[in-house]
Structure formats: structure tokens, C-alpha cells
């Protein structure tokens, strides 16, 4: 994480709240923490699991505007929420203003969600090579038109729109300050910054000083910080160093839905933290499995989707290779129960071994962009045609 710090204007005493509630349009989020939408992770089952541990704004997996307009069955499933989700939050990705506007109108006009986030942060090559995701704000007119279309489509229904973005394409092509000002001027309810460029992907350390700079630049709406929040202490440090109005948590909660309990305590000024022994971890895994089966209405599909979470849950715990392999291939709830019960469930929390990074990391990558993309900030007809191909079937990275 960045160590660039701002001078705190006041000293907090134990028990003092770190921040006031986060205001997203008409919605007040008491704990100013947002679950980042993650493809294949933040489905209804995982969101419920996180809600059972803590509080915040929990965003569904990203869907593409084209798929929503086509009423793709999987996309409509993704924007289906539990009755007890107080603020139903959907994230939309798109590269065509008219299609994005139509998708947002479906979500807002059909009362499918209470909040829409626009994704301009995806660094995945299959998206950026066609000019989408983190590459798109470089074309300022297109970015403006997309945000404008979304805000106009949502406004009649009182649904706030927010923007999530990265610093830019690479160290020489930053876009976040300009994009933040454009979004603010068009009436978005908040902006969130993942403090890495597309080239940095998920590698290295997030540049928290960029979040501070965005906060100094965008002054009339909340600015949220994202990147390298692996613990409640990281969230507190980000707020104190950048002045941001809330935090967005992604990979840090993978295999650790109880992180939201830690975050709620930290933002309330309380020192208590969840440090689970293996028994609690096992019960959480089984609960996750039950919710997955309920989510998909299919035990086999639910278990297959659960498998990728196993390594995250068991990080740092001395669980043998055979047990790990068995859990990574589990196919029924009965088998899951048997495998979990066979573990040494009296193991205590392993400490530092269970902390820190998880999920995808990798190394910096040269961004995959359309040929000549960086030559101009304007969008010509050839690039307009290419951008139409950037909207993938359902979900991106």
C-alpha cells in the first residue's frame, strides 16, 4: 500500500466513528464499505454470506448492457436480488451510449435495482483490446456520452448512478482526474477509484496517493478508495491517508466474508476482530455451499461454483494436501459435510499466515489496446465499429 499520508485534522478517540454514513443518492449506507463486483464471486449466495457477517453496500456481479437489452437469461439472473437486500446494487458494463442507457432503463424502470454502478475499471485484455473497460475513459467524448446516457435513463426513477474506474491505461496515460470531474458534472452520485492502471493489473501496490488527489479534485460527491484492503486496519489507513469517503473491498474478502464484521467494528471505532479457528471456517464453507445450491437451484452447479473458494478459505490453515484436493473437487453437500468433518476442526486461527493478499495478482502487463488507440483522445468511425465488439455476452473481469 502507499505510505503517502495526509496530516489528520483531528485525532480520533477509541469509540469514535471513523466516518459518517456513506450517501449514495437517497441511500444512506451506515458502514461506508462497498463490496466490489467480482465476476463469478459476488453472486447472491456470497452477498448474503457477507451480509450475515457485516454491513455495507453489496454489489452484484457485472453484467453487460447488450446482454441486458437482449434479456439474456443469465444476465437477468445476476440482477435478481434477495428480498432483504436493503439497497439492491447492480454494475453495468458497456461501450455504446444508447445500449447502456437502454440497459439502465430496464434496471431502473422495471425496479430491478436501487443503484447502478458503471464499470470503467476492467483491465482484462479481452475487454481493453477493443477499447472497453479501463481503456475507455481515454476517449473522453465516449466516456461522457455513456455516463450521461446512464444518468438520464436512471433519473426518472430516482436511481443513483456511480462510476468505478482505474487511474488510467498506464503511467503515461492517466485519465482518472478528468473522468472524475466529468462524472461529477453529469450528476453521478459517487466515484470510486481502483488506484492502479490497467497496465498494473492487480500487481504491486495500489497508489493510495491517487485516491487522495481525486478526493481533492472531486469535491461535491463521495470519493471511494479501492485497492489493497486486506484487513480492517488497511481500510482505516486508507481513509486516514487519503480522506476518502468510504472504501471498496474486492479480493480481500475472498474466503473471508467475516472481513465485513471487522470493517463494521473498525468504522465504529471498536477494536474487536474476527479471528476464526478452523471450525468456524468449516461452518462458513458449508453455509456458503448451502447458499450456492439455493442460488443455482442445482446441487452440482452450486458445488462446482464453490470449488474456487476453497483455497481462499483455507489460506494459512494447516490442512493436508489430500483434504484440499478433495474439497477442490467436491460435488455434493453430503460430500462437503463429510470432508469438512474429517478436518482437525480444533485448530486455532493461524495468525499472519491467513492474512494478506489473495486472489489474482500476477505481474504488470502491457495493455492490449486497439491499434492507434492512444494516438488521439477522439473516437473515429473505425474505432466506433470496433467498440461494438467489446460488449461480451454476460460478464467480464
Amino acid at each position: 500500500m502507499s505510505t503517502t499520508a495526509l496530516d489528520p485534522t483531528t485525532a480520533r478517540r477509541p469509540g469514535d466513528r471513523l466516518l459518517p454514513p456513506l450517501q449514495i443518492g437517497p441511500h444512506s449506507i451506515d458502514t461506508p464499505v462497498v463490496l466490489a463486483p467480482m465476476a463469478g464471486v459476488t453472486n447472491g449466495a456470497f452477498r448474503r454470506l457477507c451480509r450475515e457477517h457485516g454491513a455495507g453496500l453489496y454489489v452484484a456481479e457485472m453484467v453487460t448492457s447488450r446482454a441486458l437489452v437482449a434479456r439474456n437469461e443469465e444476465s437477468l439472473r445476476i440482477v435478481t436480488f434477495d428480498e432483504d437486500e436493503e439497497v439492491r446494487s447492480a454494475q453495468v458494463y458497456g461501450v455504446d451510449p444508447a445500449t447502456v442507457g437502454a440497459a439502465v432503463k430496464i434496471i431502473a424502470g422495471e425496479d430491478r435495482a436501487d443503484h447502478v454502478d458503471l464499470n470503467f475499471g476492467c483491465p482484462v485484455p479481452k475487454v481493453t483490446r477493443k477499447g472497453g473497460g479501463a481503456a475507455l475513459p481515454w476517449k473522453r467524448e465516449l466516456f461522457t456520452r455513456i455516463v450521461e446516457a446512464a444518468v438520464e435513463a436512471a433519473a426518472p426513477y430516482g436511481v443513483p448512478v456511480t462510476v468505478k474506474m482505474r487511474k488510467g491505461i498506464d503511467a503515461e496515460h492517466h485519465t482518472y482526474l478528468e473522468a472524475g470531474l466529468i462524472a461529477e458534472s453529469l450528476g453521478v452520485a459517487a466515484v470510486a477509484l481502483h488506484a492502479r492502471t490497467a497496465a498494473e493489473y492487480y500487481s504491486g501496490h495500489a497508489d493510495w496517493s491517487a485516491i487522495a488527489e481525486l478526493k481533492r479534485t472531486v469535491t461535491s460527491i463521495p470519493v471511494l478508495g479501492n485497492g489493497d484492503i486486506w484487513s480492517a486496519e488497511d481500510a482505516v489507513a486508507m481513509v486516514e491517508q487519503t480522506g476518502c469517503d468510504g472504501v471498496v473491498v474486492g479480493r480481500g474478502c475472498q474466503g473471508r466474508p467475516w472481513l465485513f464484521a471487522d470493517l463494521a467494528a473498525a468504522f465504529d471505532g471498536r477494536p474487536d476482530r474476527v479471528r476464526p479457528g478452523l471450525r468456524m471456517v468449516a461452518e462458513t464453507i458449508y453455509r456458503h455451499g448451502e447458499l450456492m445450491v439455493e442460488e443455482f437451484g442445482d446441487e452440482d452447479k452450486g458445488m462446482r461454483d464453490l470449488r474456487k473458494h476453497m483455497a481462499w478459505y483455507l489460506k494459512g490453515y494447516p490442512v493436508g494436501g489430500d483434504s484440499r484436493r478433495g474439497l477442490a473437487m467436491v460435488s455434493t453437500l453430503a460430500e462437503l459435510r463429510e470432508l469438512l468433518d474429517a478436518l482437525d476442526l480444533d485448530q486455532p486461527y493461524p495468525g499472519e499466515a491467513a492474512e494478506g493478499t489473495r486472489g489474482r495478482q500476477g505481474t504488470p502487463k502491457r495493455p492490449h489496446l486497439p491499434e492507434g488507440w492512444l494516438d488521439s483522445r477522439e473516437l473515429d468511425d473505425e474505432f466506433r465499429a470496433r467498440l461494438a465488439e467489446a460488449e461480451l455476452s454476460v460478464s467480464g473481469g
Side-chain angles (χ1 to χ4, degrees), residues 137-207:
W138 179 252
K139 302 298 185 182
R140 59 169 74 89
E141 178 191 353
L142 181 63
F143 174 80
T144 299
R145 290 175 56 210
I146 288 174
V147 175
E148 188 174 45
V151 171
E152 289 181 355
Y157 308 99
V159 172
V161 174
T162 58
V163 163
K164 185 164 186 280
M165 58 189 174
R166 285 191 172 228
K167 288 172 60 180
I169 294 173
D170 54 31
E172 287 73 44
H173 301 90
H174 285 178
T175 54
Y176 70 104
L177 295 179
E178 180 185 54
L181 286 170
I182 291 172
E184 181 183 31
S185 72
L186 294 173
V188 305
V191 292
L193 178 65
H194 183 156
R196 288 180 170 89
T197 63
E200 291 171 303
Y201 214 66
Y202 296 95
S203 66
H205 298 291
D207 174 19

Side-chain angles (χ1 to χ4, degrees), residues 107-126:
I107 292 173
E110 297 178 8
D111 191 28
R112 293 180 177 273
D114 307 301
H115 159 240
V116 173
D117 186 54
L118 299 178
N119 183 315
F120 295 104
C122 183
V124 174
K126 66 183 178 182

Side-chain angles (χ1 to χ4, degrees), residues 125-333:
K126 66 183 178 182
V127 171
T128 61
R129 71 163 51 98
K130 295 189 175 77
L136 195 145
W138 179 252
K139 302 298 185 182
R140 59 169 74 89
E141 178 191 353
L142 181 63
F143 174 80
T144 299
R145 290 175 56 210
I146 288 174
V147 175
E148 188 174 45
V151 171
E152 289 181 355
Y157 308 99
V159 172
V161 174
T162 58
V163 163
K164 185 164 186 280
M165 58 189 174
R166 285 191 172 228
K167 288 172 60 180
I169 294 173
D170 54 31
E172 287 73 44
H173 301 90
H174 285 178
T175 54
Y176 70 104
L177 295 179
E178 180 185 54
L181 286 170
I182 291 172
E184 181 183 31
S185 72
L186 294 173
V188 305
V191 292
L193 178 65
H194 183 156
R196 288 180 170 89
T197 63
E200 291 171 303
Y201 214 66
Y202 296 95
S203 66
H205 298 291
D207 174 19
W208 290 2
S209 67
I211 299 169
E213 183 64 22
L214 182 63
K215 175 61 181 172
R216 287 190 291 267
T217 302
V218 174
T219 58
S220 67
I221 56 175
V223 171
L224 309 178
N226 178 214
D228 293 353
I229 295 179
W230 310 109
S231 68
E233 285 66 36
D234 291 334
V236 171
M238 176 183 280
V239 170
E240 291 180 341
Q241 293 180 25
T242 69
C244 65
D245 302 291
V247 300
V248 181
V249 179
R251 293 171 295 152
C253 68
Q254 291 176 344
R256 290 194 304 176
W258 49 83
L259 177 60
F260 289 95
D262 289 354
L263 290 163
F267 277 87
D268 279 344
R270 294 182 281 111
D272 44 298
R273 302 288 184 269
V274 178
R275 296 293 181 260
L278 189 55
R279 188 177 303 278
M280 177 181 165
V281 173
E283 288 308 309
T284 304
I285 292 173
Y286 190 77
R287 173 64 174 155
H288 197 167
E290 289 180 317
L291 292 171
M292 283 290 208
V293 174
E294 181 181 328
E295 169 83 5
F296 293 106
D298 182 309
E299 186 174 38
D300 181 65
K301 186 173 182 180
M303 290 297 97
R304 282 189 281 114
D305 205 78
L306 179 68
R307 293 172 185 172
K308 63 173 167 282
H309 295 263
M310 294 300 181
W312 299 331
Y313 274 118
L314 298 174
K315 182 181 188 298
Y317 292 85
V319 174
D322 289 344
S323 296
R324 289 178 182 272
R325 283 188 290 273
L327 287 165
M329 296 298 291
V330 68
S331 57
T332 67
L333 279 171

Side-chain angles (χ1 to χ4, degrees), residues 91-103:
Q91 190 187 64
V92 173
Y93 161 81
V95 296
D96 173 69
T99 309
V100 170

